[in-house]
Amino acid sequence: MRDEKAVIKAFESFFKENYSFFYFTAYHLLSDEELSRDMVSECTQLVWERYRQGSVDEWKAYMYHTVRNKCLDHLRREQVKKKYIDFYKAVTSESFEQYNEDDERLDAIYHSIETLPELPRKVLEMCYFQKMKYRDVADELNISTSYVKKLIMAALSHIRKEVLSNNNSNFI
């Protein structure tokens, strides 16, 4: 069994002599002073446990590989985080753009419905908004079912023309 004070003193000496080497190794990979210091400190704790056990022969090489691997692991995690962030931004941006396009499309359609003559607008509203059947609409307005169909077709044609004429060709 080794003397605990001698082990601590030897490790302190090793750490003081090699700290700048390990720091610059981390800094070279990370390009961040604070993060490099944190990585070296974290690796020092890991290596200290091995040092106390006496299970490693080449301490400088072991510490170097530990620092390098920790830094590379950190960079990989950051790269994965960045991919998720970029993906999230792309998805939410597309969703927001799609929402705006849908909103504009609905506004254009509602505006063109408002410009319809009264009877076709009323028939369209009863069929599409109130979910009434053509027969029920015809009975309520005292018109034939075929005339309801003609009014619906004319109203939809009007809406298409109105929306397309407003340079919204991708709407319908």
Side-chain angles (χ1 to χ4, degrees):
M1 187 81 174
R2 297 183 298 178
D3 180 29
E4 188 69 25
K5 288 184 180 182
V7 171
I8 292 171
K9 195 165 194 95
F11 189 78
E12 282 179 3
S13 175
F14 164 77
F15 180 74
K16 287 177 184 176
E17 290 172 12
N18 296 294
Y19 177 81
S20 61
F21 172 75
F22 299 131
Y23 169 78
F24 285 113
T25 299
Y27 185 77
H28 175 72
L29 293 169
L30 302 173
S31 301
D32 183 327
E33 291 178 17
E34 187 69 29
L35 186 57
S36 297
R37 282 192 286 272
D38 291 346
M39 286 294 171
V40 172
S41 294
E42 198 173 311
C43 292
T44 302
Q45 290 174 350
L46 293 171
V47 172
W48 167 244
E49 293 303 317
R50 297 281 180 157
Y51 192 87
R52 287 179 56 203
Q53 296 170 0
S55 59
V56 177
D57 294 328
E58 287 293 322
W59 295 107
K60 189 170 184 176
Y62 184 75
M63 180 72 171
Y64 169 77
H65 287 290
T66 304
V67 169
R68 188 187 63 143
N69 290 341
K70 272 281 196 196
C71 291
L72 292 175
D73 287 346
H74 174 79
L75 292 173
R76 282 188 206 107
R77 280 192 305 275
E78 289 301 310
Q79 197 171 30
V80 168
K81 283 181 191 176
K82 185 180 181 323
K83 284 182 182 178
Y84 279 120
I85 289 170
D86 291 344
F87 175 74
Y88 178 76
K89 284 180 181 177
V91 168
T92 56
S93 174
E94 289 173 8
S95 298
F96 185 71
E97 289 173 10
Q98 182 64 39
Y99 173 78
N100 283 343
E101 288 175 11
D102 291 347
D103 201 32
E104 290 174 12
R105 182 180 299 141
L106 285 174
D107 286 345
I109 291 170
Y110 283 126
H111 176 71
S112 65
I113 290 171
E114 290 172 4
T115 64
L116 284 169
E118 185 179 346
L119 187 58
R121 184 180 69 241
K122 189 171 190 165
V123 169
L124 186 76
E125 288 173 351
M126 291 171 84
C127 289
Y128 285 97
F129 298 136
Q130 297 173 14
K131 308 277 189 217
M132 294 175 69
K133 296 181 181 180
Y134 287 177
R135 179 91 219 87
D136 297 336
V137 173
D139 289 344
E140 190 169 316
L141 297 176
N142 293 324
I143 56 176
S144 70
T145 305
S146 62
Y147 190 52
V148 169
K149 290 178 186 177
K150 287 180 186 177
L151 288 171
I152 291 288
M153 288 182 358
L156 293 175
S157 176
H158 172 79
I159 292 169
R160 281 189 201 95
K161 287 177 187 173
E162 187 78 22
V163 170
L164 291 175
S165 71
N166 291 330
N167 293 326
N168 297 319
S169 58
N170 61 342
F171 280 176
I172 296 180

